[in-house]
DNA sequence: TAGCTAGATAGCTACCACGCTATGTGGCGC
DNA sequence: GCGCCACATAGCGTGGTAGCTATCTAGCTA
């Protein structure tokens, strides 16, 4: 050892890149689309206002047509990217769009 | 055989998804950034107006700091997504941004 | 407190993207 | 016409992501 330390020639992973990766999935785009109008896309739910808290996890899993863990991971990616907001209530989790964050991202992409 | 044919539960790959995948890479974001102002980011080139035709492939390869085939693939992804336009001239290839396409994509993302 | 159910985690497979080196190919220029 | 140079293609290794089943955990309800 040890020769020179390799310079970081690398493009550093930006937050923008992360957000784009979160968006670059048909499943996740679909979820965001549904969440635009939860009342139209999901069955009526008893505990948790669709508009205030969002759609129930179970409905999303069901409508996505994938297994529960797979849907869960997609939702986690969206939450981690702060594109959607999760709310726990009683025994369920509800998801809604983070409109502020989505708008901010749209602005950043417009400046690409 | 043969049971029922599985229904397409799948979210179909959209063009939007494809564009987002093309964009969701630090290297490619970097290239688009550089191409905003080729004169500022690349050495002066003799054959091919940086503003009209874009930056010479060789400069991009060099500045990216990856091998020629790797850079070539990144550029191909951008061209295939129509985010940049390639021009062949003499023996070289020049790349420039497709501003119309980029703006259109930004609009679509704003409506996500 | 006990049981049940929503959701997360673990662990697997398959696939795709990114990096590389080696090699083709096609068009300029001498 | 020949050689050379710019760029593409082939092929390989690796890491990350999406899908699955099985299982764990936490918190609601009775």
């Amino acid at each position: 050892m040890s020769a020179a330390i390799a310079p970081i020639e690398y493009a550093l992973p930006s937050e923008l890149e992360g957000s784009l990766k979160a968006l670059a999935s048909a499943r996740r785009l679909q979820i965001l689309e549904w969440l635009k109008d939860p009342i139209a896309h999901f069955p009526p739910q008893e505990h948790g206002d669709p508009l205030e808290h969002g759609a129930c996890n179970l409905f999303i899993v069901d409508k996505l047509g994938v297994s529960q863990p797979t849907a869960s991971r997609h939702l986690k990616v969206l939450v981690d990217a702060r594109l959607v907001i999760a709310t726990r209530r009683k025994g369920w989790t509800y998801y809604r769009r983070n409109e502020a964050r989505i708008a901010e991202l749209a602005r950043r992409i417009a400046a690409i």
Side-chain angles (χ1 to χ4, degrees), chain A residues 5-73:
Chain A
I5 292 169
I8 303 181
E9 299 165 338
Y10 248 87
L12 295 170
S14 64
E15 187 178 6
L16 178 58
E17 187 198 0
S19 301
L20 285 167
K21 281 189 196 300
L23 270 188
S25 147
R27 303 266 191 219
R28 294 192 288 269
L29 286 171
Q30 180 72 82
I31 292 171
L32 285 175
E33 179 68 29
W34 287 335
L35 290 185
K36 267 180 152 173
D37 187 352
I39 294 176
H41 293 105
F42 299 102
Q45 56 198 32
E46 291 140 40
H47 304 93
D49 180 9
L51 296 181
E52 187 184 348
H53 304 107
C56 178
N57 189 335
L58 290 185
F59 293 157
I60 299 175
V61 169
D62 198 45
K63 193 154 181 162
L64 258 194
V66 297
S67 69
Q68 174 264 319
T70 296
S72 189
R73 182 149 28 82

Side-chain angles (χ1 to χ4, degrees), chain A residues 105-112:
Chain A
L105 176 59
R107 257 182 282 115
R108 293 205 51 191
I109 291 172
I112 262 174

